[in-house]
Short mmCIF file of all heavy atoms in Angstrom, two decimals:
data_model
loop_
_atom_site.label_atom_id
_atom_site.label_comp_id
_atom_site.label_asym_id
_atom_site.label_seq_id
_atom_site.Cartn_x
_atom_site.Cartn_y
_atom_site.Cartn_z
N ARG A 1 82.40 123.59 87.45
CA ARG A 1 83.86 123.28 87.72
C ARG A 1 84.52 122.54 86.53
O ARG A 1 83.79 122.00 85.76
CB ARG A 1 84.03 122.39 88.95
CG ARG A 1 83.41 122.93 90.20
CD ARG A 1 83.48 121.95 91.36
NE ARG A 1 84.86 121.43 91.62
CZ ARG A 1 85.55 121.83 92.66
NH1 ARG A 1 85.07 122.68 93.55
NH2 ARG A 1 86.85 121.41 92.81
N VAL A 2 85.85 122.61 86.48
CA VAL A 2 86.57 121.87 85.41
C VAL A 2 87.22 120.56 86.04
O VAL A 2 87.95 119.86 85.40
CB VAL A 2 87.65 122.71 84.84
CG1 VAL A 2 87.02 123.90 84.03
CG2 VAL A 2 88.67 123.14 85.74
N ASP A 3 86.94 120.31 87.36
CA ASP A 3 87.33 119.16 88.03
C ASP A 3 86.36 118.78 89.09
O ASP A 3 85.41 119.49 89.31
CB ASP A 3 88.77 119.25 88.58
CG ASP A 3 88.96 120.50 89.42
OD1 ASP A 3 87.89 121.05 89.84
OD2 ASP A 3 90.02 120.94 89.69
N VAL A 4 86.56 117.66 89.76
CA VAL A 4 85.69 117.29 90.82
C VAL A 4 86.01 117.92 92.23
O VAL A 4 87.17 118.30 92.46
CB VAL A 4 85.63 115.72 91.01
CG1 VAL A 4 85.19 115.08 89.65
CG2 VAL A 4 86.94 115.12 91.48
N SER A 5 85.03 118.01 93.07
CA SER A 5 85.33 118.53 94.40
C SER A 5 86.24 117.67 95.11
O SER A 5 86.13 116.35 95.14
CB SER A 5 83.92 118.57 95.13
OG SER A 5 84.23 118.61 96.55
N HIS A 6 87.25 118.29 95.76
CA HIS A 6 88.21 117.52 96.51
C HIS A 6 87.61 116.91 97.75
O HIS A 6 88.07 115.84 98.30
CB HIS A 6 89.44 118.27 96.92
CG HIS A 6 89.31 119.42 97.82
ND1 HIS A 6 88.65 120.56 97.31
CD2 HIS A 6 89.64 119.64 99.10
CE1 HIS A 6 88.68 121.46 98.34
NE2 HIS A 6 89.22 120.82 99.44
N TYR A 7 86.50 117.47 98.25
CA TYR A 7 85.86 116.85 99.44
C TYR A 7 85.06 115.58 99.00
O TYR A 7 85.13 114.54 99.68
CB TYR A 7 84.72 117.85 99.86
CG TYR A 7 85.31 119.16 100.47
CD1 TYR A 7 85.07 120.32 99.79
CD2 TYR A 7 85.99 119.12 101.70
CE1 TYR A 7 85.65 121.55 100.25
CE2 TYR A 7 86.47 120.36 102.17
CZ TYR A 7 86.33 121.55 101.41
OH TYR A 7 86.79 122.73 101.95
N ARG A 8 84.47 115.57 97.77
CA ARG A 8 83.81 114.35 97.30
C ARG A 8 84.76 113.29 96.89
O ARG A 8 84.51 112.17 96.97
CB ARG A 8 82.94 114.72 96.15
CG ARG A 8 81.77 115.74 96.56
CD ARG A 8 80.72 115.90 95.47
NE ARG A 8 79.80 117.01 95.84
CZ ARG A 8 78.68 117.25 95.12
NH1 ARG A 8 78.41 116.62 94.10
NH2 ARG A 8 77.90 118.26 95.41
N LEU A 9 85.92 113.77 96.38
CA LEU A 9 86.96 112.79 96.01
C LEU A 9 87.45 112.11 97.27
O LEU A 9 87.64 110.89 97.32
CB LEU A 9 88.20 113.56 95.35
CG LEU A 9 89.48 112.81 95.12
CD1 LEU A 9 89.26 111.70 94.15
CD2 LEU A 9 90.59 113.72 94.62
N ALA A 10 87.63 112.82 98.36
CA ALA A 10 88.15 112.28 99.67
C ALA A 10 87.01 111.26 100.19
O ALA A 10 87.39 110.25 100.63
CB ALA A 10 88.32 113.39 100.64
N LEU A 11 85.79 111.62 99.93
CA LEU A 11 84.66 110.75 100.45
C LEU A 11 84.79 109.37 99.66
O LEU A 11 84.67 108.31 100.17
CB LEU A 11 83.33 111.39 100.29
CG LEU A 11 82.14 110.55 100.50
CD1 LEU A 11 82.07 110.16 101.98
CD2 LEU A 11 80.84 111.30 100.06
N HIS A 12 84.99 109.53 98.31
CA HIS A 12 84.96 108.32 97.43
C HIS A 12 86.17 107.52 97.73
O HIS A 12 86.07 106.28 97.82
CB HIS A 12 84.93 108.81 96.00
CG HIS A 12 84.81 107.72 95.04
ND1 HIS A 12 83.79 106.79 95.06
CD2 HIS A 12 85.47 107.47 93.84
CE1 HIS A 12 83.87 105.99 93.95
NE2 HIS A 12 84.91 106.39 93.31
N LEU A 13 87.29 108.11 97.82
CA LEU A 13 88.56 107.33 98.10
C LEU A 13 88.54 106.70 99.45
O LEU A 13 88.91 105.45 99.60
CB LEU A 13 89.73 108.24 97.95
CG LEU A 13 91.12 107.52 98.02
CD1 LEU A 13 91.29 106.49 97.04
CD2 LEU A 13 92.26 108.63 98.00
N THR A 14 88.12 107.45 100.47
CA THR A 14 88.16 106.93 101.83
C THR A 14 87.28 105.72 101.93
O THR A 14 87.49 104.74 102.66
CB THR A 14 87.86 108.00 102.88
OG1 THR A 14 88.77 109.15 102.63
CG2 THR A 14 88.00 107.54 104.26
N THR A 15 86.08 105.86 101.20
CA THR A 15 85.14 104.68 101.37
C THR A 15 85.73 103.47 100.73
O THR A 15 85.49 102.38 101.26
CB THR A 15 83.80 105.08 100.66
OG1 THR A 15 83.20 106.38 101.18
CG2 THR A 15 82.77 103.95 100.70
N ALA A 16 86.44 103.59 99.68
CA ALA A 16 87.14 102.43 99.00
C ALA A 16 88.09 101.80 100.13
O ALA A 16 88.17 100.60 100.27
CB ALA A 16 87.95 102.83 97.86
N PHE A 17 88.83 102.66 100.86
CA PHE A 17 89.71 102.16 101.80
C PHE A 17 88.88 101.47 103.06
O PHE A 17 89.42 100.49 103.66
CB PHE A 17 90.71 103.22 102.36
CG PHE A 17 91.81 103.50 101.52
CD1 PHE A 17 91.72 104.25 100.34
CD2 PHE A 17 92.99 103.02 101.86
CE1 PHE A 17 92.79 104.40 99.49
CE2 PHE A 17 94.15 103.21 101.04
CZ PHE A 17 94.05 103.93 99.89
N VAL A 18 87.81 102.03 103.40
CA VAL A 18 87.01 101.46 104.45
C VAL A 18 86.54 100.08 103.99
O VAL A 18 86.55 99.07 104.80
CB VAL A 18 85.82 102.33 104.79
CG1 VAL A 18 84.80 101.55 105.66
CG2 VAL A 18 86.16 103.64 105.41
N ILE A 19 86.10 99.86 102.81
CA ILE A 19 85.70 98.61 102.17
C ILE A 19 86.82 97.64 102.26
O ILE A 19 86.65 96.47 102.66
CB ILE A 19 85.13 98.78 100.74
CG1 ILE A 19 83.83 99.63 100.89
CG2 ILE A 19 84.90 97.36 100.16
CD1 ILE A 19 83.27 99.97 99.46
N LEU A 20 87.98 98.05 101.80
CA LEU A 20 89.20 97.18 101.85
C LEU A 20 89.43 96.67 103.23
O LEU A 20 89.70 95.48 103.47
CB LEU A 20 90.29 97.94 101.23
CG LEU A 20 91.76 97.19 101.31
CD1 LEU A 20 91.70 95.86 100.49
CD2 LEU A 20 92.79 98.06 100.78
N ALA A 21 89.46 97.66 104.21
CA ALA A 21 89.71 97.26 105.62
C ALA A 21 88.70 96.28 106.17
O ALA A 21 89.00 95.35 106.88
CB ALA A 21 89.80 98.51 106.45
N ALA A 22 87.40 96.53 105.84
CA ALA A 22 86.36 95.66 106.37
C ALA A 22 86.45 94.26 105.76
O ALA A 22 86.27 93.27 106.49
CB ALA A 22 84.99 96.23 105.98
N VAL A 23 86.65 94.12 104.45
CA VAL A 23 86.83 92.84 103.81
C VAL A 23 87.95 92.09 104.43
O VAL A 23 87.86 90.85 104.78
CB VAL A 23 87.10 93.01 102.29
CG1 VAL A 23 87.46 91.75 101.67
CG2 VAL A 23 85.76 93.53 101.66
N LEU A 24 89.11 92.72 104.61
CA LEU A 24 90.37 92.10 105.15
C LEU A 24 90.15 91.73 106.62
O LEU A 24 90.51 90.62 107.06
CB LEU A 24 91.57 93.00 105.11
CG LEU A 24 92.09 93.12 103.64
CD1 LEU A 24 93.26 94.27 103.60
CD2 LEU A 24 92.65 91.83 103.14
N TRP A 25 89.45 92.55 107.41
CA TRP A 25 89.16 92.19 108.87
C TRP A 25 88.36 90.90 108.95
O TRP A 25 88.71 90.07 109.77
CB TRP A 25 88.55 93.42 109.55
CG TRP A 25 88.46 93.23 110.99
CD1 TRP A 25 87.51 92.48 111.72
CD2 TRP A 25 89.42 93.64 112.01
NE1 TRP A 25 87.76 92.57 113.05
CE2 TRP A 25 88.94 93.27 113.26
CE3 TRP A 25 90.56 94.44 111.85
CZ2 TRP A 25 89.63 93.65 114.41
CZ3 TRP A 25 91.24 94.76 113.06
CH2 TRP A 25 90.81 94.30 114.20
N VAL A 26 87.30 90.82 108.16
CA VAL A 26 86.50 89.61 108.24
C VAL A 26 87.35 88.40 107.70
O VAL A 26 87.30 87.29 108.32
CB VAL A 26 85.26 89.73 107.33
CG1 VAL A 26 84.48 88.42 107.30
CG2 VAL A 26 84.38 90.87 107.86
N ALA A 27 88.10 88.55 106.76
CA ALA A 27 88.98 87.46 106.17
C ALA A 27 89.96 87.04 107.29
O ALA A 27 90.19 85.84 107.51
CB ALA A 27 89.71 87.93 104.89
N PHE A 28 90.50 87.95 107.98
CA PHE A 28 91.48 87.57 109.05
C PHE A 28 90.70 86.93 110.18
O PHE A 28 91.31 86.17 110.92
CB PHE A 28 92.23 88.87 109.57
CG PHE A 28 93.11 89.49 108.53
CD1 PHE A 28 93.28 90.94 108.50
CD2 PHE A 28 93.74 88.74 107.55
CE1 PHE A 28 94.09 91.48 107.59
CE2 PHE A 28 94.58 89.33 106.60
CZ PHE A 28 94.76 90.76 106.62
N ASP A 29 89.55 87.30 110.46
CA ASP A 29 88.76 86.71 111.49
C ASP A 29 88.53 85.20 111.30
O ASP A 29 88.43 84.42 112.25
CB ASP A 29 87.32 87.36 111.55
CG ASP A 29 87.21 88.30 112.75
OD1 ASP A 29 88.17 88.40 113.57
OD2 ASP A 29 86.12 88.92 112.93
N LEU A 30 88.46 84.80 109.95
CA LEU A 30 88.21 83.51 109.57
C LEU A 30 89.58 82.66 109.50
O LEU A 30 89.45 81.42 109.17
CB LEU A 30 87.52 83.36 108.32
CG LEU A 30 86.10 84.10 108.26
CD1 LEU A 30 85.48 84.01 106.93
CD2 LEU A 30 85.18 83.48 109.34
N ASP A 31 90.65 83.26 109.77
CA ASP A 31 91.96 82.49 109.72
C ASP A 31 92.30 81.91 111.07
O ASP A 31 92.34 82.63 112.02
CB ASP A 31 92.97 83.59 109.42
CG ASP A 31 94.41 82.91 109.12
OD1 ASP A 31 94.61 81.82 109.58
OD2 ASP A 31 95.25 83.53 108.53
N ARG A 32 92.36 80.61 111.18
CA ARG A 32 92.41 80.02 112.41
C ARG A 32 93.80 80.27 113.10
O ARG A 32 93.86 80.33 114.32
CB ARG A 32 92.32 78.39 112.18
CG ARG A 32 92.15 77.58 113.49
CD ARG A 32 91.65 76.23 113.23
NE ARG A 32 90.36 76.32 112.52
CZ ARG A 32 89.15 76.46 113.27
NH1 ARG A 32 89.23 76.66 114.60
NH2 ARG A 32 88.01 76.41 112.58
#
């Protein structure tokens, strides 16, 4: 190919968003 698979791009990008959501959820959990 001359570019990356859009399926794999979606996997990579969505995982970044999952990480962001998980980090924020734990941070909010610790907010009194």
Side-chain angles (χ1 to χ4, degrees):
R1 303 170 57 102
V2 297
D3 52 15
V4 300
S5 162
H6 64 287
Y7 298 109
R8 299 188 188 187
L9 172 63
L11 175 64
H12 188 51
L13 181 62
T14 306
T15 303
F17 276 77
V18 170
I19 292 171
L20 175 61
V23 169
L24 286 173
W25 189 274
V26 174
F28 296 147
D29 254 359
L30 301 178
D31 188 339
R32 193 164 297 280

